[in-house]
Amino acid sequence: MDIPYTVEERPDTGLNNAKLGIWLFLASEVMLFGGLFSAYIFLRIGAPEWPGTMAGQTFATSFEVLNVPIGTFNTFVLIASSVTMVMSWASLMMKDFKKYKLYMGLTILLALAFLVVKGFEYGGKFSAGMFPSESTFLAIYFTLTGLHGLHVIGGIVVNAYFWGPGAKMWETDPDRFTNRIEIAGLYWHFVDLVWIFLFPTIYLL
Amino acid sequence: MADSEKDHGHHHEESFIRKYVFSTDHKVIGIQYGITSLLFLLFGFVLMMMMRWQLAYPGEPMPLIGWMFGESTMPDGVMLPEFYNQLGAMHGTIMVFLGIVPLAVGAFGNYVVPLQIGAPDMAFPKLNMASYWVFFLGGVTMLISFWVPGGAAKAGWTSYPPLANIETTGQTMWLIGMIFLITSSLLGAVNFITTIIQLRAPGLTFMRMPFFVWAQLVTSFLLLLAFPPLEAAGVLQLMDRVADTSFFMPTGLVVSGEVMNLSGGGSPLLWQHLFWFLAHPEVYVLILPAMGIVGEIIANNTRKPLWGYKSLVYSVIFLGFMSFIVWAHHMYITGMGTAISTFFQLTTMIISIPSVIILSALFLSLWGGSIRFTTPMLFALGFLPMFGIGGLTGLPLGLAPPDIHLHDTYYVIGHFHYVVAPGTIIAMFAGIYYWYPKATGRKMSDMLGKVHFWGTIITMNGIFMPMFIQGMAGVSRRLYDGGQLYDLAEPVLHWNEFMSISAWLLGLFQLPFIWNFFYSIKKGEKVDDNVWEATTLEWTATTSPPLGHGNFEVLPQVYRGPYEYSVPGAASDFIPQNDPEEHQSVAEEA
């Protein structure tokens, strides 16, 4: 039994199943992060001072608490990984499997770099006694970036599968494999986009 | 074992486990969802029957089963208040998230939708399997929570903080269980929408889809977009509970006379907003599939097209859209400003319009039909007035002035139970009797079905009608003793015993159904592929039960709308959707 429109597009909708599926999934993700951003706005409007007092110190602005240069660096790391993700898909479109392996490998490495930097940032906060329980600001910072981090890890797992064992499909069904990389790319760009909103909202505003 | 599996592999036969446990066939998954959710409905109902003992006879030891419980829940058979709260919270959670949603969407949606649109399966069969097993894990988590220290969740199905934040471990289990259930719903919703949009048979345009498919499509959009904010809220509450954050804990919160040692700065109202942003659309998740089922059965048993098919479709879409902007009508007593309150009163009044259109169209469909009083039709007809009562009693709750009096009284309980119990659950029974021959090739007994119908509908009214009386008198919900401590409850207190006896009788009248359900699998009357002489594809394009995985021998082609009953000039009184022939219409010539 074959499910229709797994690879080819349905003529009247102009979509294949996976592409519609991923856009629907991303719509639900928008609502998830939308809910959290709304919670952030709700709490911040109600707060007498922001970011306020934590670990015995009072801060007037969020960039005194968080490290903006590191955050900026990480932003560029993620944007670069989005670029290599597109390149890996474009390589498949041009039937260049070796280039695909290279760019997909780079995407995974950049994502890991992002997590390592994030790990050092978290470590610095913890050693300074800044835990989520210290203030609403830190609570929302750790929750939002933590959930985003989980999404990054999810992306790494998916991309690593397509770089390693999943890449066998290139031999048997190259069109479907190319589709899969496009779908994985859409997810990856979304994770990137969430950070693009997260960074200014939490670090700069 | 390993050898036999190998042999099976050579013959391309599926092993028992592949075929019935970890199946990717939408029909098997639908039945898995159906049986699991019916068991949870029964379990949730048993919890309520226990609570009704405490409400009718407060402080008296429970007969028959009271001795089975331990010192920490029911010493000497007398229910402790803590245990009453666990039963109440878990009754709501189980009925909504583990009973009705998986039955309405997981079971009926999975089994019927691909057949009705002429698809070989769901668009993502493996994802479909995953969503069932994630749902199952969520259910197991909820069940296990009864045995953790302090017992299951006690803060109601709404899990309002600060209470939910400071309660025992059961509350954390509740959150983890909910995150499983939400994930399962999200996977399911993506699958349903993709299936309905992408896998419709050739010729099955959107305006030729059966009303049930439309209802499922809108329901899936609600699940897709409304559940994530609750997931967000769940993550925040989990952080509050395990990482000591204060998202929902205000500064200077005093619990049992002591100021809590927290950073503060949070807001309990934030939870209410996020929760009801899900939970109002959730109400429509509960009712839309029910309306879809009733629509199918009414068209089939009146032998005429649904009245106002297009108005029904547009109303369902509009209802789905509006359900996202009415949530704060659950929060009128939180002290919101008049401007905001006016907005939500207005949207609430507007959303009642499509509901009324749908109910009216279903009623008008009966006009002039030659009604067949089959068992599914009895249940479908029972749904109409019951949902009418449930809907109309909701109007006073949608307006702030009467709501301030009625809020959190038994009136509210009566209102939403009328929508969900004699409304949705009755429609679910209708669906079970209607599609049972599809899944088994046999009919359930009509005699037992009628006993089940009359017993159920009468006792349900016996339970829920007195709630309006108690509620208007001012009796609060969630009272451990049913209101004995309050003078105002005195004149209406005697209803408690009446309601409880009705509830136990309702339990008794489910026995014929349970017997009928299992007995008919092997011993029911064998019937034709299209036993109800229906027009839609699940009956006309495949056998009952359908062929194995793949459903159709040849994928069907659709030529006409879903309800071509009693077409003037046609040879029979129904024309299947996949019938290619032109039928001379007398009406057209005239």
Side-chain angles (χ1 to χ4, degrees):
Chain A
M1 181 213 50
D2 288 316
I3 308 283
Y5 311 118
T6 43
V7 180
E8 76 281 13
E9 289 167 359
R10 183 180 163 115
D12 58 349
T13 61
L15 291 163
N16 61 47
N17 297 343
K19 199 181 257 177
L20 178 59
I22 193 73
W23 279 112
L24 292 168
F25 175 71
L26 293 183
S28 86
E29 290 279 87
V30 167
M31 294 304 285
L32 174 67
F33 282 98
L36 288 169
F37 275 104
S38 312
Y40 165 83
I41 294 167
F42 189 100
L43 290 172
R44 181 163 178 176
I45 286 174
E49 47 183 355
W50 194 265
T53 307
M54 57 200 89
Q57 285 173 274
T58 305
F59 298 91
T61 55
S62 46
F63 45 81
E64 287 170 31
V65 188
L66 302 173
N67 193 328
V68 176
I70 290 187
T72 314
F73 173 75
N74 246 352
T75 308
F76 283 110
V77 170
L78 265 197
I79 291 174
S81 80
S82 255
V83 173
T84 55
M85 188 80 205
V86 176
M87 302 286 271
S88 73
W89 175 65
S91 312
L92 285 183
M93 294 294 276
M94 294 184 288
K95 312 284 175 211
D96 189 342
F97 187 69
K98 271 192 179 156
K99 277 242 174 79
Y100 158 75
K101 285 283 256 192
L102 170 72
Y103 284 122
M104 188 53 116
L106 276 177
T107 309
I108 297 165
L109 286 179
L110 285 166
L112 286 171
F114 174 87
L115 285 182
V116 169
V117 172
K118 201 79 214 142
F120 276 111
E121 242 187 304
Y122 273 21
K125 288 281 163 296
F126 292 149
S127 59
M130 290 192 169
F131 295 100
S133 55
E134 280 296 311
S135 76
T136 309
F137 175 81
L138 284 176
I140 200 97
Y141 163 76
F142 279 111
T143 308
L144 268 173
T145 55
L147 200 65
H148 176 259
L150 284 179
H151 279 77
V152 173
I153 292 171
I156 291 175
V157 170
V158 170
N159 288 345
Y161 173 76
F162 287 137
W163 185 82
K168 279 186 202 132
M169 192 186 247
W170 178 251
E171 308 293 330
T172 54
D173 195 348
D175 287 343
R176 192 167 183 191
F177 185 67
T178 311
N179 270 350
R180 287 188 162 186
I181 299 307
E182 189 186 359
I183 303 302
L186 283 170
Y187 170 78
W188 190 248
H189 300 321
F190 174 81
V191 173
D192 190 9
L193 194 67
V194 169
W195 179 259
I196 305 276
F197 279 92
L198 248 174
F199 174 62
T201 313
I202 297 188
Y203 282 69
L204 304 178
L205 285 175
Chain B
M1 184 68 198
D3 280 346
S4 70
E5 263 179 15
K6 242 183 200 169
D7 286 342
H8 277 289
H10 283 299
H11 297 295
H12 293 284
E13 269 178 33
E14 289 174 317
S15 67
F16 178 83
I17 290 191
R18 277 314 265 171
K19 201 166 172 187
Y20 295 107
V21 184
F22 294 105
S23 174
T24 53
D25 184 346
H26 73 98
K27 298 188 292 297
V28 178
I29 297 172
I31 291 168
Q32 287 176 327
Y33 261 116
I35 290 175
T36 319
S37 55
L38 282 170
L39 288 174
F40 271 116
L41 275 180
L42 183 65
F43 181 65
F45 182 48
V46 168
L47 300 187
M48 179 41 68
M49 287 196 281
M50 289 168 66
M51 291 167 76
R52 288 276 11 148
W53 173 266
Q54 168 62 24
L55 290 172
Y57 313 107
E60 288 178 36
M62 192 180 291
L64 299 173
I65 56 167
W67 57 272
M68 291 196 295
F69 297 85
E71 283 298 303
S72 57
T73 52
M74 293 182 27
D76 303 321
V78 179
M79 191 181 288
L80 290 175
E82 290 81 4
F83 190 50
Y84 179 87
N85 284 346
Q86 288 177 37
L87 294 180
M90 295 312 282
H91 166 76
T93 306
I94 287 171
M95 287 312 218
V96 173
F97 296 109
L98 288 160
I100 295 184
V101 175
L103 183 60
V105 182
F108 285 113
N110 248 314
Y111 198 95
V112 177
V113 165
L115 290 173
Q116 273 193 336
I117 63 172
D121 201 325
M122 297 284 275
F124 309 112
K126 282 181 193 154
L127 203 63
N128 202 15
M129 178 179 82
S131 54
Y132 172 76
W133 286 104
V134 174
F135 155 75
F136 189 81
L137 277 180
V140 170
T141 313
M142 292 289 187
L143 287 182
I144 290 175
S145 73
F146 276 100
W147 283 275
V148 300
K154 298 198 246 331
W157 81 284
T158 52
S159 197
Y160 272 12
L163 181 61
N165 281 11
I166 57 177
E167 267 295 354
T168 52
T169 323
Q171 217 66 46
T172 308
M173 297 287 285
W174 186 90
L175 286 168
I176 294 169
M178 283 305 293
I179 288 175
F180 278 125
L181 295 178
I182 293 168
T183 309
S184 156
S185 289
L186 288 178
L187 299 180
V190 168
N191 214 342
F192 276 110
I193 298 172
T194 310
T195 305
I196 294 171
I197 292 179
Q198 290 286 96
L199 301 189
R200 280 167 295 124
L204 188 67
T205 57
F206 279 105
M207 278 305 173
R208 282 176 175 177
M209 290 199 312
F211 181 54
F212 177 74
V213 178
W214 268 111
Q216 288 286 345
L217 182 63
V218 175
T219 303
S220 299
F221 269 105
L222 298 184
L223 287 174
L224 184 79
L225 301 177
F227 250 136
L230 181 66
E231 190 158 31
V235 168
L236 297 182
Q237 199 173 76
L238 202 61
M239 288 291 284
D240 273 7
R241 290 189 55 89
V242 300
D244 290 329
T245 57
S246 304
F247 287 114
F248 304 124
M249 303 296 259
T251 309
L253 180 70
V254 178
V255 175
S256 309
E258 279 179 47
V259 179
M260 288 205 78
N261 181 25
L262 284 167
S263 65
S267 162
L269 277 188
L270 174 60
W271 170 269
Q272 294 193 22
H273 280 294
L274 290 171
F275 181 85
W276 288 114
F277 187 87
L278 153 88
H280 198 82
E282 176 79 12
V283 174
Y284 293 94
V285 170
L286 302 175
I287 198 69
L288 291 182
M291 289 168 164
I293 292 172
V294 168
E296 294 299 302
I297 294 172
I298 283 185
N300 177 255
N301 286 289
T302 53
R303 314 307 292 166
K304 58 193 278 270
L306 272 185
W307 194 91
Y309 170 81
K310 277 191 179 169
S311 338
L312 280 168
V313 169
Y314 293 134
S315 297
V316 165
I317 296 170
F318 184 60
L319 200 65
F321 173 75
M322 287 301 290
S323 71
F324 282 98
I325 44 172
V326 295
W327 81 88
H329 67 211
H330 296 267
M331 300 165 60
Y332 286 139
I333 61 162
T334 58
M336 63 172 77
T338 44
I340 296 189
S341 154
T342 306
F343 173 81
F344 282 105
Q345 292 181 68
L346 201 65
T347 54
T348 305
M349 291 304 113
I350 291 173
I351 203 175
S352 64
I353 296 170
S355 311
V356 170
I357 291 176
I358 292 173
L359 193 62
S360 308
L362 292 175
F363 262 117
L364 286 170
S365 299
L366 304 176
W367 185 265
S370 50
I371 299 176
R372 301 186 310 199
F373 287 98
T374 58
T375 311
M377 185 60 171
L378 277 183
F379 279 92
L381 290 174
F383 169 87
L384 299 177
M386 293 300 111
F387 174 71
I389 296 174
L392 291 176
T393 51
L395 286 178
L397 297 172
L399 296 166
D403 180 65
I404 286 166
H405 173 65
L406 294 169
H407 192 95
D408 266 349
T409 65
Y410 263 95
Y411 182 92
V412 179
I413 313 289
H415 154 67
F416 70 70
H417 277 91
Y418 258 100
V419 175
V420 179
T424 302
I425 292 181
I426 285 285
M428 294 296 127
F429 283 136
I432 291 172
Y433 285 101
Y434 183 67
W435 279 302
Y436 191 91
K438 184 77 248 166
T440 62
R442 289 167 192 272
K443 243 172 90 172
M444 289 169 79
S445 153
D446 270 326
M447 183 60 214
L448 287 175
K450 278 168 190 167
V451 172
H452 179 218
F453 170 73
W454 288 109
T456 303
I457 201 119
I458 291 169
T459 52
M460 275 183 171
N461 280 286
I463 304 168
F464 301 121
M465 194 59 89
M467 288 185 178
F468 293 127
I469 301 168
Q470 286 197 334
M472 283 188 279
V475 180
S476 286
R477 66 194 288 197
R478 291 178 177 161
L479 293 178
Y480 162 63
D481 59 358
Q484 283 205 325
L485 278 178
Y486 296 85
D487 289 341
L488 65 90
E490 183 57 40
V492 290
L493 214 56
H494 60 276
W495 282 109
N496 273 337
E497 196 175 5
F498 179 83
M499 290 191 278
S500 294
I501 292 171
S502 299
W504 301 323
L505 283 177
L506 174 62
L508 204 63
F509 276 112
Q510 301 316 301
L511 297 179
F513 170 73
I514 296 170
W515 166 262
N516 201 354
F517 188 89
F518 289 107
Y519 181 80
S520 305
I521 294 175
K522 286 266 186 273
K523 301 282 167 109
E525 179 198 342
K526 269 198 172 171
V527 291
D528 293 342
D529 288 341
N530 189 358
V531 51
W532 310 115
E533 302 189 309
T535 51
T536 43
L537 290 179
E538 86 271 34
W539 297 106
T540 61
T542 181
T543 50
S544 300
L547 309 160
H549 204 172
N551 298 338
F552 304 96
E553 212 152 349
V554 190
L555 284 183
Q557 163 88 34
V558 172
Y559 296 93
R560 59 193 73 247
Y563 306 113
E564 302 224 344
Y565 288 105
S566 307
V567 176
S572 72
D573 76 338
F574 68 104
I575 308 174
Q577 280 194 282
N578 57 344
D579 181 353
E581 280 175 42
E582 286 289 329
H583 293 268
Q584 194 69 31
S585 168
V586 179
E588 259 174 38
E589 280 179 3

